[in-house]
Amino acid sequence: MCQLCNSQKKLCDAHIIPWGLYPKSSNIRAYTLSSNRQDPRPKGVFDRNILCAECDRQLGRFDDYAAKVLLPWPRRRDLYKREDGFLERGSLGSKYFAYWIKAPDIRLLQGFAASLLWRSAVTSRDEIQIELGLADLERTRRVFEQDDRSSYFDILVQRMPRDIFSKFVSGPVKLDGAFQFCMSGVVLNIYLKRHDTPPEADCLVLGRTSDLLVGFVPFWGSKFEESFREIVMKDRS
Ligand SMILES: [Zn+2]
């Protein structure tokens, strides 16, 4: 039975982490914390017990959009500029602290994050599985099925500073009140409680402003955090 539409249908090979957000490689291997198994997994990790093809296609609309706006490396004009016009450089070689994603479609990105949580909660693939309470599980569906804005999640997006270190996807990492997914260098932080993000970062939450500022990691709790706070304090608008 399809877990989304509850119909008895032929189910498909549904990826939990969308295939479009996997690194482009024919040599995909799966590692887990409990074993350092390195079996080749040319098609990534998927579950053939959760979705019919039609429902998988419905979620695919969110996945396609997320891959389109989140994966590309920023163009020069999207890099964060100080008030004096200088680009902010970190000490990570020639990489930068932050860049803008201009006017993203909030509905599609919320749908993407919510459906990612939902898929992670209903799968039995232990590489990806998370525990989500019934209330949160129902909330994910209100977001991706009905675009219920009052159920939206607080979402922060970060970026790994170098392509070469980011050729992987991870299962969801449980943080305090949040889940973090790493997908080809894009780090998606989904907070379950509203306003649980650091207060300084509130204006970085998806949808608070029309453009989304994406910061390069590592910065929370690192020497880069100070600089990032400064960016935020200076540029609240
Ligand atoms: Zn279905």
Side-chain angles (χ1 to χ4, degrees):
M1 188 157 81
C2 171
Q3 306 216 26
L4 202 52
C5 65
N6 290 331
S7 329
Q8 298 275 357
K9 276 188 190 169
K10 186 177 180 322
L11 302 184
C12 68
D13 291 348
H15 284 91
I16 313 301
I17 307 287
W19 185 236
L21 283 127
Y22 272 76
K24 302 294 163 270
S25 168
S26 54
N27 186 29
I28 291 173
R29 284 160 193 276
Y31 298 83
T32 65
L33 292 177
S34 52
S35 81
N36 58 355
R37 199 170 53 171
Q38 302 175 33
D39 311 333
R41 294 275 189 82
K43 292 166 82 184
V45 174
F46 55 83
D47 190 332
R48 49 177 56 137
N49 297 307
I50 56 171
L51 287 169
C52 69
E54 195 178 317
C55 288
D56 193 48
R57 254 197 312 278
Q58 295 283 328
L59 301 187
R61 289 179 306 135
F62 301 124
D63 302 343
D64 293 347
Y65 181 75
K68 191 177 99 182
V69 298
L70 297 180
L71 282 182
W73 204 243
R75 293 160 298 187
R76 190 174 174 79
R77 65 173 181 270
D78 296 327
L79 293 170
Y80 174 81
K81 291 191 197 61
R82 296 193 324 215
E83 274 167 15
D84 55 12
F86 277 103
L87 292 169
E88 289 276 5
R89 274 176 189 267
S91 51
L92 292 163
S94 59
K95 299 307 178 195
Y96 302 87
F97 282 130
Y99 63 95
W100 297 101
I101 293 178
K102 298 280 163 60
D105 186 317
I106 309 299
R107 182 182 69 85
L108 291 176
L109 288 181
Q110 282 284 343
F112 169 65
S115 68
L116 196 56
L117 278 183
W118 181 84
R119 285 175 276 194
S120 308
V122 299
T123 184
S124 55
R125 298 302 304 251
D126 57 4
E127 300 96 325
I128 312 277
Q129 197 181 37
I130 61 171
E131 296 258 344
L132 206 60
L134 188 60
D136 281 322
L137 193 64
E138 287 172 351
R139 179 180 170 199
T140 62
R141 292 187 66 149
R142 287 198 302 277
V143 173
F144 71 80
E145 292 183 318
Q146 301 156 28
D147 187 35
D148 173 15
R149 288 172 191 216
S150 64
S151 298
Y152 274 7
F153 292 91
D154 280 0
I155 294 168
L156 292 178
V157 184
Q158 298 165 275
R159 186 74 186 230
M160 296 200 176
R162 298 217 181 151
D163 245 10
I164 191 168
F165 298 134
S166 60
K167 304 269 185 226
F168 68 93
V169 298
S170 77
V173 178
K174 193 173 192 320
L175 308 174
D176 190 19
F179 288 100
Q180 183 181 66
F181 294 78
C182 294
M183 299 166 289
S184 301
V186 173
V187 185
L188 190 72
N189 301 280
I190 309 171
Y191 290 80
L192 297 181
K193 272 191 283 177
R194 301 306 284 274
H195 304 292
D196 211 19
T197 48
E200 302 82 0
D202 193 60
C203 57
L204 300 177
V205 171
L206 174 70
R208 293 278 199 282
T209 59
S210 59
D211 299 327
L212 177 66
L213 190 63
V214 177
F216 286 99
V217 284
F219 55 84
W220 304 121
S222 75
K223 60 183 173 175
F224 303 108
E225 185 176 355
E226 267 316 299
S227 314
F228 202 75
R229 279 176 199 277
E230 208 184 309
I231 291 175
V232 174
M233 300 309 281
K234 271 196 215 155
D235 208 2
R236 280 194 173 272
S237 62

